[in-house]
Amino acid sequence: MDEVIGLLIGQIIGVFIGAAIGSLIGAIILRAAAKWVAALEVTYGNAYMTCFLSYLISSAIGLVAGFAVGLTLGDSPHLANAILVLQVFLVFASLIIQTWLVSVRFHVTLGKACLIVLAAMGIGIAIMLCLALILFGLIFALGMFAGP
């Protein structure tokens, strides 16, 4: 039982650290999306707190839901399928939470907030694809996959 409590405390600490660091980058992307989609000037602090709160709320829901699924199914052979379904649900829940937070904190309609969140997600995906291409280009350029 002490091991489970230790894991839970470690998970909670990790969520706060991840939220603090991830929100630094997320705020820049969210500001760019708000400017691009809604021609809205959002301060960095407001964007940071929006990302931070979104991350914390989504993580709390994921932690509670994951704990409930784990307690319910235990060692069941269907645990992997249940976790997959839970992850899909949590992706949509996170998008809804972030849309609501953007709407409330940026004082825009839900429709405009949805567009801002989708644009931020698109920008984030584009950045990750560019970084992946650069990384793979470097790997191939340096011959890391070359045979002996």
PDB file of all heavy atoms in Angstrom, residues 85-102:
ATOM      1  N   VAL A  85      -9.768   3.049 -24.715  1.00  0.00           N
ATOM      2  CA  VAL A  85     -11.029   3.799 -24.793  1.00  0.00           C
ATOM      3  C   VAL A  85     -10.969   5.023 -23.881  1.00  0.00           C
ATOM      4  O   VAL A  85     -11.399   6.117 -24.258  1.00  0.00           O
ATOM      5  CB  VAL A  85     -12.224   2.884 -24.422  1.00  0.00           C
ATOM      6  CG1 VAL A  85     -13.498   3.699 -24.262  1.00  0.00           C
ATOM      7  CG2 VAL A  85     -12.408   1.797 -25.465  1.00  0.00           C
ATOM      8  N   LEU A  86     -10.391   4.855 -22.694  1.00  0.00           N
ATOM      9  CA  LEU A  86     -10.257   5.963 -21.750  1.00  0.00           C
ATOM     10  C   LEU A  86      -9.376   7.066 -22.335  1.00  0.00           C
ATOM     11  O   LEU A  86      -9.696   8.255 -22.216  1.00  0.00           O
ATOM     12  CB  LEU A  86      -9.675   5.462 -20.430  1.00  0.00           C
ATOM     13  CG  LEU A  86      -9.430   6.517 -19.353  1.00  0.00           C
ATOM     14  CD1 LEU A  86     -10.752   7.141 -18.925  1.00  0.00           C
ATOM     15  CD2 LEU A  86      -8.709   5.901 -18.169  1.00  0.00           C
ATOM     16  N   GLN A  87      -8.286   6.705 -22.988  1.00  0.00           N
ATOM     17  CA  GLN A  87      -7.401   7.708 -23.577  1.00  0.00           C
ATOM     18  C   GLN A  87      -8.097   8.499 -24.681  1.00  0.00           C
ATOM     19  O   GLN A  87      -7.916   9.713 -24.782  1.00  0.00           O
ATOM     20  CB  GLN A  87      -6.133   7.045 -24.107  1.00  0.00           C
ATOM     21  CG  GLN A  87      -5.205   6.591 -23.003  1.00  0.00           C
ATOM     22  CD  GLN A  87      -4.023   5.797 -23.524  1.00  0.00           C
ATOM     23  OE1 GLN A  87      -4.070   5.237 -24.613  1.00  0.00           O
ATOM     24  NE2 GLN A  87      -2.963   5.742 -22.741  1.00  0.00           N
ATOM     25  N   VAL A  88      -8.885   7.827 -25.499  1.00  0.00           N
ATOM     26  CA  VAL A  88      -9.634   8.523 -26.551  1.00  0.00           C
ATOM     27  C   VAL A  88     -10.630   9.494 -25.912  1.00  0.00           C
ATOM     28  O   VAL A  88     -10.759  10.651 -26.337  1.00  0.00           O
ATOM     29  CB  VAL A  88     -10.351   7.519 -27.476  1.00  0.00           C
ATOM     30  CG1 VAL A  88     -11.325   8.228 -28.415  1.00  0.00           C
ATOM     31  CG2 VAL A  88      -9.334   6.709 -28.271  1.00  0.00           C
ATOM     32  N   PHE A  89     -11.320   9.046 -24.891  1.00  0.00           N
ATOM     33  CA  PHE A  89     -12.261   9.910 -24.176  1.00  0.00           C
ATOM     34  C   PHE A  89     -11.539  11.123 -23.588  1.00  0.00           C
ATOM     35  O   PHE A  89     -12.031  12.253 -23.667  1.00  0.00           O
ATOM     36  CB  PHE A  89     -12.964   9.116 -23.069  1.00  0.00           C
ATOM     37  CG  PHE A  89     -13.663   9.975 -22.065  1.00  0.00           C
ATOM     38  CD1 PHE A  89     -14.866  10.581 -22.371  1.00  0.00           C
ATOM     39  CD2 PHE A  89     -13.105  10.195 -20.815  1.00  0.00           C
ATOM     40  CE1 PHE A  89     -15.505  11.396 -21.448  1.00  0.00           C
ATOM     41  CE2 PHE A  89     -13.734  11.006 -19.891  1.00  0.00           C
ATOM     42  CZ  PHE A  89     -14.939  11.603 -20.207  1.00  0.00           C
ATOM     43  N   LEU A  90     -10.369  10.899 -23.010  1.00  0.00           N
ATOM     44  CA  LEU A  90      -9.640  11.987 -22.358  1.00  0.00           C
ATOM     45  C   LEU A  90      -9.123  13.023 -23.361  1.00  0.00           C
ATOM     46  O   LEU A  90      -9.011  14.200 -23.029  1.00  0.00           O
ATOM     47  CB  LEU A  90      -8.489  11.430 -21.521  1.00  0.00           C
ATOM     48  CG  LEU A  90      -8.930  10.671 -20.260  1.00  0.00           C
ATOM     49  CD1 LEU A  90      -7.730  10.050 -19.569  1.00  0.00           C
ATOM     50  CD2 LEU A  90      -9.686  11.580 -19.312  1.00  0.00           C
ATOM     51  N   VAL A  91      -8.812  12.605 -24.577  1.00  0.00           N
ATOM     52  CA  VAL A  91      -8.392  13.570 -25.605  1.00  0.00           C
ATOM     53  C   VAL A  91      -9.535  14.540 -25.885  1.00  0.00           C
ATOM     54  O   VAL A  91      -9.342  15.768 -25.906  1.00  0.00           O
ATOM     55  CB  VAL A  91      -7.944  12.849 -26.899  1.00  0.00           C
ATOM     56  CG1 VAL A  91      -7.852  13.817 -28.060  1.00  0.00           C
ATOM     57  CG2 VAL A  91      -6.621  12.143 -26.683  1.00  0.00           C
ATOM     58  N   PHE A  92     -10.726  14.005 -26.086  1.00  0.00           N
ATOM     59  CA  PHE A  92     -11.877  14.873 -26.356  1.00  0.00           C
ATOM     60  C   PHE A  92     -12.250  15.706 -25.130  1.00  0.00           C
ATOM     61  O   PHE A  92     -12.608  16.879 -25.260  1.00  0.00           O
ATOM     62  CB  PHE A  92     -13.064  14.053 -26.852  1.00  0.00           C
ATOM     63  CG  PHE A  92     -12.868  13.516 -28.229  1.00  0.00           C
ATOM     64  CD1 PHE A  92     -12.673  12.167 -28.446  1.00  0.00           C
ATOM     65  CD2 PHE A  92     -12.839  14.368 -29.328  1.00  0.00           C
ATOM     66  CE1 PHE A  92     -12.473  11.664 -29.723  1.00  0.00           C
ATOM     67  CE2 PHE A  92     -12.640  13.886 -30.612  1.00  0.00           C
ATOM     68  CZ  PHE A  92     -12.449  12.532 -30.812  1.00  0.00           C
ATOM     69  N   ALA A  93     -12.156  15.122 -23.942  1.00  0.00           N
ATOM     70  CA  ALA A  93     -12.438  15.874 -22.718  1.00  0.00           C
ATOM     71  C   ALA A  93     -11.457  17.028 -22.561  1.00  0.00           C
ATOM     72  O   ALA A  93     -11.848  18.141 -22.182  1.00  0.00           O
ATOM     73  CB  ALA A  93     -12.380  14.945 -21.510  1.00  0.00           C
ATOM     74  N   SER A  94     -10.188  16.799 -22.879  1.00  0.00           N
ATOM     75  CA  SER A  94      -9.180  17.857 -22.779  1.00  0.00           C
ATOM     76  C   SER A  94      -9.462  18.991 -23.756  1.00  0.00           C
ATOM     77  O   SER A  94      -9.298  20.168 -23.414  1.00  0.00           O
ATOM     78  CB  SER A  94      -7.785  17.285 -23.044  1.00  0.00           C
ATOM     79  OG  SER A  94      -7.426  16.384 -22.033  1.00  0.00           O
ATOM     80  N   LEU A  95      -9.887  18.645 -24.971  1.00  0.00           N
ATOM     81  CA  LEU A  95     -10.228  19.684 -25.947  1.00  0.00           C
ATOM     82  C   LEU A  95     -11.423  20.515 -25.483  1.00  0.00           C
ATOM     83  O   LEU A  95     -11.441  21.740 -25.642  1.00  0.00           O
ATOM     84  CB  LEU A  95     -10.517  19.058 -27.311  1.00  0.00           C
ATOM     85  CG  LEU A  95      -9.306  18.509 -28.058  1.00  0.00           C
ATOM     86  CD1 LEU A  95      -9.751  17.766 -29.308  1.00  0.00           C
ATOM     87  CD2 LEU A  95      -8.341  19.619 -28.415  1.00  0.00           C
ATOM     88  N   ILE A  96     -12.409  19.856 -24.895  1.00  0.00           N
ATOM     89  CA  ILE A  96     -13.586  20.567 -24.388  1.00  0.00           C
ATOM     90  C   ILE A  96     -13.194  21.472 -23.220  1.00  0.00           C
ATOM     91  O   ILE A  96     -13.625  22.629 -23.136  1.00  0.00           O
ATOM     92  CB  ILE A  96     -14.687  19.560 -23.978  1.00  0.00           C
ATOM     93  CG1 ILE A  96     -15.249  18.887 -25.230  1.00  0.00           C
ATOM     94  CG2 ILE A  96     -15.787  20.254 -23.181  1.00  0.00           C
ATOM     95  CD1 ILE A  96     -16.139  17.694 -24.942  1.00  0.00           C
ATOM     96  N   ILE A  97     -12.357  20.965 -22.323  1.00  0.00           N
ATOM     97  CA  ILE A  97     -11.909  21.758 -21.169  1.00  0.00           C
ATOM     98  C   ILE A  97     -11.130  22.979 -21.636  1.00  0.00           C
ATOM     99  O   ILE A  97     -11.367  24.097 -21.168  1.00  0.00           O
ATOM    100  CB  ILE A  97     -11.058  20.889 -20.223  1.00  0.00           C
ATOM    101  CG1 ILE A  97     -11.943  19.865 -19.516  1.00  0.00           C
ATOM    102  CG2 ILE A  97     -10.304  21.741 -19.210  1.00  0.00           C
ATOM    103  CD1 ILE A  97     -11.181  18.746 -18.849  1.00  0.00           C
ATOM    104  N   GLN A  98     -10.201  22.782 -22.576  1.00  0.00           N
ATOM    105  CA  GLN A  98      -9.414  23.909 -23.046  1.00  0.00           C
ATOM    106  C   GLN A  98     -10.280  24.920 -23.790  1.00  0.00           C
ATOM    107  O   GLN A  98     -10.089  26.128 -23.648  1.00  0.00           O
ATOM    108  CB  GLN A  98      -8.257  23.449 -23.925  1.00  0.00           C
ATOM    109  CG  GLN A  98      -7.277  24.567 -24.201  1.00  0.00           C
ATOM    110  CD  GLN A  98      -5.993  24.105 -24.822  1.00  0.00           C
ATOM    111  OE1 GLN A  98      -5.890  23.008 -25.318  1.00  0.00           O
ATOM    112  NE2 GLN A  98      -4.996  24.967 -24.811  1.00  0.00           N
ATOM    113  N   THR A  99     -11.239  24.443 -24.563  1.00  0.00           N
ATOM    114  CA  THR A  99     -12.151  25.362 -25.267  1.00  0.00           C
ATOM    115  C   THR A  99     -12.935  26.199 -24.265  1.00  0.00           C
ATOM    116  O   THR A  99     -13.064  27.417 -24.427  1.00  0.00           O
ATOM    117  CB  THR A  99     -13.111  24.567 -26.170  1.00  0.00           C
ATOM    118  OG1 THR A  99     -12.345  23.849 -27.134  1.00  0.00           O
ATOM    119  CG2 THR A  99     -14.083  25.488 -26.880  1.00  0.00           C
ATOM    120  N   TRP A 100     -13.437  25.559 -23.223  1.00  0.00           N
ATOM    121  CA  TRP A 100     -14.198  26.286 -22.206  1.00  0.00           C
ATOM    122  C   TRP A 100     -13.313  27.319 -21.512  1.00  0.00           C
ATOM    123  O   TRP A 100     -13.712  28.471 -21.312  1.00  0.00           O
ATOM    124  CB  TRP A 100     -14.794  25.295 -21.200  1.00  0.00           C
ATOM    125  CG  TRP A 100     -15.441  25.974 -20.042  1.00  0.00           C
ATOM    126  CD1 TRP A 100     -16.636  26.624 -20.040  1.00  0.00           C
ATOM    127  CD2 TRP A 100     -14.901  26.112 -18.726  1.00  0.00           C
ATOM    128  NE1 TRP A 100     -16.886  27.141 -18.791  1.00  0.00           N
ATOM    129  CE2 TRP A 100     -15.837  26.838 -17.974  1.00  0.00           C
ATOM    130  CE3 TRP A 100     -13.739  25.680 -18.118  1.00  0.00           C
ATOM    131  CZ2 TRP A 100     -15.618  27.143 -16.642  1.00  0.00           C
ATOM    132  CZ3 TRP A 100     -13.523  25.982 -16.787  1.00  0.00           C
ATOM    133  CH2 TRP A 100     -14.461  26.710 -16.072  1.00  0.00           C
ATOM    134  N   LEU A 101     -12.077  26.919 -21.149  1.00  0.00           N
ATOM    135  CA  LEU A 101     -11.170  27.855 -20.476  1.00  0.00           C
ATOM    136  C   LEU A 101     -10.807  29.030 -21.374  1.00  0.00           C
ATOM    137  O   LEU A 101     -10.752  30.176 -20.913  1.00  0.00           O
ATOM    138  CB  LEU A 101      -9.902  27.131 -20.019  1.00  0.00           C
ATOM    139  CG  LEU A 101     -10.023  26.331 -18.730  1.00  0.00           C
ATOM    140  CD1 LEU A 101      -8.804  25.465 -18.524  1.00  0.00           C
ATOM    141  CD2 LEU A 101     -10.239  27.249 -17.546  1.00  0.00           C
ATOM    142  N   VAL A 102     -10.547  28.777 -22.646  1.00  0.00           N
ATOM    143  CA  VAL A 102     -10.231  29.863 -23.583  1.00  0.00           C
ATOM    144  C   VAL A 102     -11.423  30.807 -23.697  1.00  0.00           C
ATOM    145  O   VAL A 102     -11.258  32.034 -23.694  1.00  0.00           O
ATOM    146  CB  VAL A 102      -9.818  29.293 -24.963  1.00  0.00           C
ATOM    147  CG1 VAL A 102      -9.830  30.381 -26.028  1.00  0.00           C
ATOM    148  CG2 VAL A 102      -8.449  28.643 -24.885  1.00  0.00           C
TER     149      VAL A 102
END
